[in-house]
Amino acid sequence: MYVTRSFHFVFSVVALLSHCISSFAFTTNSHQSKVISIFPRTFVVPSTNLRTKANVVRLGMSNDDNDGMKEKESTWDRITGPKLFKTVTNWQGIHSVPLVPLRIITGLLMIHHGSEGGVGPANFGTPEFQGFIDYIINPYFSFLPGSPELWSAIHDYAEFYGGICFALGFLTRPAALSLLVSMMSAVYFHLSASGLQGFPLGHVSNYSYDFEEPLLYALIFLVFWFNGAGPLSVDSVIYKAISNENEEDE
């Protein structure tokens, strides 16, 4: 019995080795094939098919690269092209109701801020215009090049005409950026003049926290600079008229 078991064991080992050797011999003698797997099964795929598929993949990648190069836009194109007017087109949720009155009312308030000393901006010679120069520009912005009257006028023009554009939703991103710079300048002025006024937990006697208002305005303009004016705006109408119809919507 021991001899019989030994014979069966040796026979099994020899059969397994012969099967493996025959598999290796079959795959190595075929120069037009490549082995994918040996154990537990051997799958043979013609190498010509692999080369063909690889070439197709390379062609597909090169075509995608060429399309990407054709569609690539410069920064100047994004600033001056149709994307200048691109905005969120969703009429649902926050874009349908809350952001529209927020944009319009904020723009109207900026118009009021930019019309110091008269109906329009930059009213030279009026006490209000001169007071802005004497109490704000000269003490806190004397580092700016040019005359104080010039910077006071720029401030008025940015807030007056920027407020009009912002309320209408026309050139919203440039308007929001100019108003953001104006409000951050106001934050700098108030912090330089009055400090933090006890922020965050302290209080002042007159409960007038000067820097908080322009800071909130700045955050609003930052939101619209990223978001755009929204669907109910002049920018949205212009973008639909001049943009490519095949371009994907946001």
Side-chain angles (χ1 to χ4, degrees):
M1 182 179 293
Y2 178 79
V3 175
T4 304
R5 290 180 179 177
S6 300
F7 177 78
H8 283 296
F9 176 77
V10 172
F11 180 82
S12 299
V13 172
V14 171
L16 180 62
L17 290 175
S18 63
H19 176 71
C20 294
I21 291 171
S22 63
S23 299
F24 274 108
F26 175 76
T27 54
T28 53
N29 290 334
S30 179
H31 296 288
Q32 301 298 322
S33 303
K34 289 191 176 181
V35 179
I36 302 302
S37 176
I38 296 176
F39 185 83
R41 291 184 179 180
T42 303
F43 299 93
V44 181
V45 179
S47 60
T48 55
N49 292 339
L50 292 176
R51 294 192 189 97
T52 304
K53 292 179 179 179
N55 293 333
V56 171
V57 172
R58 292 192 188 97
L59 289 174
M61 293 176 63
S62 62
N63 291 334
D64 292 340
D65 293 340
N66 292 333
D67 293 340
M69 293 177 63
K70 292 179 180 179
E71 295 177 357
K72 187 176 181 181
E73 293 181 334
S74 64
T75 304
W76 181 251
D77 292 334
R78 294 176 180 176
I79 294 175
T80 59
K83 287 189 176 181
L84 174 65
F85 304 96
K86 192 172 185 179
T87 182
V88 174
T89 58
N90 184 12
W91 284 88
Q92 300 177 354
I94 193 173
H95 303 291
S96 60
V97 177
L99 289 184
V100 175
L102 178 64
R103 191 193 77 233
I104 295 174
I105 293 174
T106 303
L108 294 176
L109 292 174
M110 284 297 105
I111 296 172
H112 177 254
H113 277 270
S115 58
E116 295 172 333
V119 177
N123 295 282
F124 291 92
T126 61
E128 292 81 3
F129 186 84
Q130 190 60 41
F132 187 83
I133 296 173
D134 295 337
Y135 296 107
I136 296 178
I137 298 295
N138 285 334
Y140 299 99
F141 295 93
S142 58
F143 58 86
L144 294 174
S147 65
E149 289 79 7
L150 173 63
W151 289 107
S152 182
I154 291 175
H155 159 268
D156 285 357
Y157 287 132
E159 292 187 348
F160 187 84
Y161 293 111
I164 294 175
C165 292
F166 193 78
L168 295 175
F170 173 64
L171 295 173
T172 306
R173 283 190 171 92
L177 182 59
S178 64
L179 293 169
L180 173 63
V181 173
S182 178
M183 290 299 103
M184 291 308 299
S185 301
V187 171
Y188 163 75
F189 156 68
H190 287 297
L191 290 177
S192 300
S194 306
L196 291 174
Q197 298 176 297
F199 178 85
L201 299 177
H203 302 280
V204 294
S205 57
N206 61 356
Y207 286 90
S208 177
Y209 304 100
D210 299 330
F211 76 95
E212 293 179 354
E213 179 185 341
L215 181 59
L216 288 175
Y217 275 124
L219 294 176
I220 292 172
F221 296 134
L222 185 64
V223 168
F224 281 94
W225 184 55
F226 282 108
N227 187 76
L232 189 61
S233 62
V234 178
D235 283 348
S236 180
V237 175
I238 295 176
Y239 182 73
K240 290 178 181 178
I242 67 175
S243 65
N244 187 358
E245 293 181 358
N246 295 326
E247 187 172 357
E248 293 182 358
D249 293 333
E250 283 187 342

